[in-house]
Amino acid sequence: MKTIENVPFDEIQVGQTCSHQKTITEQDILLFAKVSGDNNPVHVDGDYAKSTQFGERIAHGMYTAALVSAAMALELPGPGSVYLTQSMKFKQPVKVGDELTILIEVIKKRAGKNFVTFSTLVTNQHGDRVLVGEAMARVSTEKIVLPAPELPPVHFG
Amino acid sequence: MKTIENVPFDEIQVGQTCSHQKTITEQDILLFAKVSGDNNPVHVDGDYAKSTQFGERIAHGMYTAALVSAAMALELPGPGSVYLTQSMKFKQPVKVGDELTILIEVIKKRAGKNFVTFSTLVTNQHGDRVLVGEAMARVSTEKIVLPAPELPPVHFG
């Protein structure tokens, strides 16, 4: 079984990073529309989206943000931490087929309350920054290793 | 057919609000885990979640944020706008059965580039603030009314 584990507060170092890749699919956008309730046709209707400034369907900005939060939840700082704040600028649209890189980097540690500040950056396959932000979490002082639950598949229709 | 429509820049007034209610279900949390990739057991494994400081499964913070972005995308300012920034503090955990109120309020208008700043607040049935934040969007100057696409149902398993 796969596991997920954290980086405990004492082991976190300024400059430490984790990086993930994700290629955006139609199903990702549809599922995000479903779960968020945001069925704005710029996300789910290709014909309408063609008439907009974007020229084709785009992913929800908050979907890209969800990839950031997943990287933080699963790897850096990982389980046992508490997500406190997140700021973000949406710099470029994300489209189906885009290959995103999610980069989390430790930029500050604050002992006492075990607060850690992270830079959160998402770029696409052209090197364009699509999301730029900063997050803060309270990080566990203990090493945590957990089985990663398997989620059932999802079907539309 | 249902429609969605925007509030054009000239009609937006400081102090204007929109408000939505949403009761959180198990399926919401599972779907968000699936689409974000964040299967941290604090969200999807009730037995594990009991052992944490939260005492039961909690929703992903970014799921609550997704409800904020949906309210903005669909109603205030609505379609045709471009989401530029969002900041948020996660103040309290959100649990299955929580009845959330999502409140969007216009706090600043900046002509020229048609930028509008919004306060974004989510409270629960006890009146606790679960998400506090601020967003900025570029708002269309034209009135836009669109058919709201129907999304197919989603099934697990």
Side-chain angles (χ1 to χ4, degrees), chain A residues 14-135:
Chain A
V14 172
Q16 189 169 2
T17 61
C18 85
S19 170
H20 285 273
Q21 261 76 39
K22 165 73 186 158
T23 301
I24 305 306
T25 67
E26 261 187 50
Q27 165 126 340
D28 294 327
I29 297 178
L30 264 182
L31 260 188
F32 196 86
K34 195 77 187 174
V35 68
S36 66
D38 180 358
N39 62 342
N40 188 317
V42 75
H43 303 303
V44 298
D45 179 339
D47 287 337
Y48 169 73
K50 268 186 205 156
S51 74
T52 68
Q53 64 181 292
F54 304 112
E56 60 180 291
R57 291 192 300 154
I58 58 169
H60 305 72
M62 211 54 90
Y63 172 64
T64 306
L67 300 177
V68 166
S69 83
M72 292 182 55
L74 298 180
E75 190 171 337
L76 183 64
S81 51
V82 178
Y83 206 3
L84 297 173
T85 72
Q86 176 77 55
S87 67
M88 50 206 161
K89 296 180 185 175
F90 302 109
K91 308 288 280 183
Q92 294 282 340
V94 171
K95 299 174 176 179
V96 172
D98 276 1
E99 296 160 19
L100 300 186
T101 300
I102 298 103
L103 180 70
I104 311 295
E105 180 174 354
V106 178
I107 58 176
K108 200 161 91 180
K109 283 182 72 171
R110 208 167 104 200
K113 290 191 163 181
N114 306 323
F115 287 167
V116 179
T117 307
F118 302 86
S119 152
T120 61
L121 174 66
V122 182
T123 52
N124 65 17
Q125 67 276 22
H126 310 298
D128 301 324
R129 301 184 308 166
V130 300
L131 184 155
V132 177
E134 220 175 270

Side-chain angles (χ1 to χ4, degrees), chain B residues 14-35:
Chain B
V14 172
Q16 190 169 1
T17 60
C18 85
S19 169
H20 286 274
Q21 260 74 39
K22 165 73 187 160
T23 300
I24 305 306
T25 67
E26 262 187 49
Q27 166 127 340
D28 294 327
I29 297 179
L30 263 182
L31 261 188
F32 196 87
K34 195 76 187 176
V35 68

